[in-house]
């Protein structure tokens, strides 16, 4: 039996589980609508932009936090300003150099696995929902209180609904079993279901 370590709601975003299979840099356009932080899942913005420090890069969507929206790229590992200096986060409306607000390093391999906490709001994810799909949820204002970290979680109420949602549930973290109604904030290993660089992962 596991140690049941995730007894309270303490979201930390999506962090790579195991080896980081690949990481690449993307641009954040000037004046994003939402704050950009480590641990955020991101989607492709749909454009290639000229940057002063890294040449031409694909941008990320920065008008809203993604939920079930494809195409997912991955999760942010690090954040940089427009001069490529590391920063804690990019604030909403960050102007940068007037063209880009900054850059993000994203774990973007289509088979990358991540660890995230379920929100446990409506119901906990049961063990028999492993291997099924779930949505993601969460917005945040990065502050010192949350270590400037992303706060996205797995949407517990969406698990096992039969939809082709954001992530596929692989298994609960070994220290958080059993993952059922006795542990509504368990951490789950998951994988992006519809990835920008890969085919949809089959199965519900």
């Amino acid at each position: 039996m596991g140690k049941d370590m995730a007894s309270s709601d303490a979201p930390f975003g999506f962090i790579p589980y195991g080896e980081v299979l690949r990481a690449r840099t993307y641009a954040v356009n000037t004046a994003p609508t939402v704050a950009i932080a480590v641990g955020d899942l991101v989607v492709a913005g749909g454009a290639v932009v000229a940057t002063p420090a890294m040449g031409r890069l694909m941008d990320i969507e920065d008008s809203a936090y993604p939920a079930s929206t494809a195409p997912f790229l991955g999760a942010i590992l690090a954040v940089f300003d427009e001069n490529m200096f590391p920063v804690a986060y990019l604030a909403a409306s960050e102007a940068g150099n007037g063209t880009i607000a900054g850059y993000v390093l994203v774990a973007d391999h289509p088979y990358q696995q991540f660890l995230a906490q379920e929100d446990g709001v409506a119901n906990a994810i049961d063990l028999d929902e492993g291997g099924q799909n779930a949505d993601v949820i969460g917005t945040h204002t990065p502050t010192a209180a949350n270590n400037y970290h992303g706060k996205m979680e797995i949407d517990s109420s969406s698990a096992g609904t039969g939809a082709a949602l954001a992530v596929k549930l692989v298994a609960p973290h070994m220290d958080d079993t059993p993952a059922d109604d006795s542990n509504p904030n368990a951490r789950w290993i998951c994988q992006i279901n519809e990835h920008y660089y890969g085919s949809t992962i089959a199965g519900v």
Side-chain angles (χ1 to χ4, degrees):
M1 182 169 291
K3 300 176 184 178
D4 194 20
M5 296 296 289
S7 58
S8 61
D9 188 27
F12 51 84
F14 285 72
I15 61 174
Y17 181 79
E19 179 184 359
V20 175
L21 301 180
R22 184 177 68 198
R24 289 193 285 201
T25 306
Y26 295 83
V28 181
N29 287 305
T30 189
T33 303
V34 296
I36 308 295
V38 171
D40 285 342
L41 280 181
V42 293
V43 301
V48 174
V49 297
T51 71
M54 298 289 290
R56 298 186 182 276
L57 294 176
M58 185 185 297
D59 66 346
I60 65 166
E61 176 59 53
D62 55 19
S63 63
Y65 295 106
S68 59
T69 305
F72 279 86
L73 283 173
I76 296 175
L77 302 177
V79 182
F80 306 89
D81 69 9
E82 73 275 17
N83 297 310
M84 206 58 194
F85 291 118
V87 292
Y89 68 100
L90 293 175
S93 301
E94 173 63 50
N97 65 3
T99 300
I100 62 166
Y103 307 88
V104 288
L105 183 67
V106 177
D108 69 352
H109 195 284
Y111 295 117
Q112 181 69 55
Q113 293 188 340
F114 299 95
L115 188 68
Q117 187 176 48
E118 58 171 300
D119 67 347
V121 173
N123 60 282
I125 300 173
D126 295 321
L127 287 173
D128 61 5
E129 290 172 328
Q132 301 190 43
N133 300 331
D135 211 343
V136 298
I137 193 170
T139 61
H140 64 272
T141 300
T143 65
N146 61 31
N147 295 317
Y148 306 105
H149 210 282
K151 298 184 72 174
M152 287 184 181
E153 296 177 284
I154 298 168
D155 182 4
S156 299
S157 62
S158 68
T161 59
L165 298 175
V167 296
K168 178 171 294 298
L169 302 170
V170 177
H173 189 278
M174 62 182 295
D175 288 340
D176 291 355
T177 52
D180 54 26
D181 288 335
S182 67
N183 189 1
N185 298 117
R187 296 167 296 177
W188 278 80
I189 303 162
C190 59
Q191 186 171 324
I192 291 174
N193 197 43
E194 293 187 89
H195 200 285
Y196 187 83
Y197 294 118
S199 300
T200 300
I201 301 166
V204 173

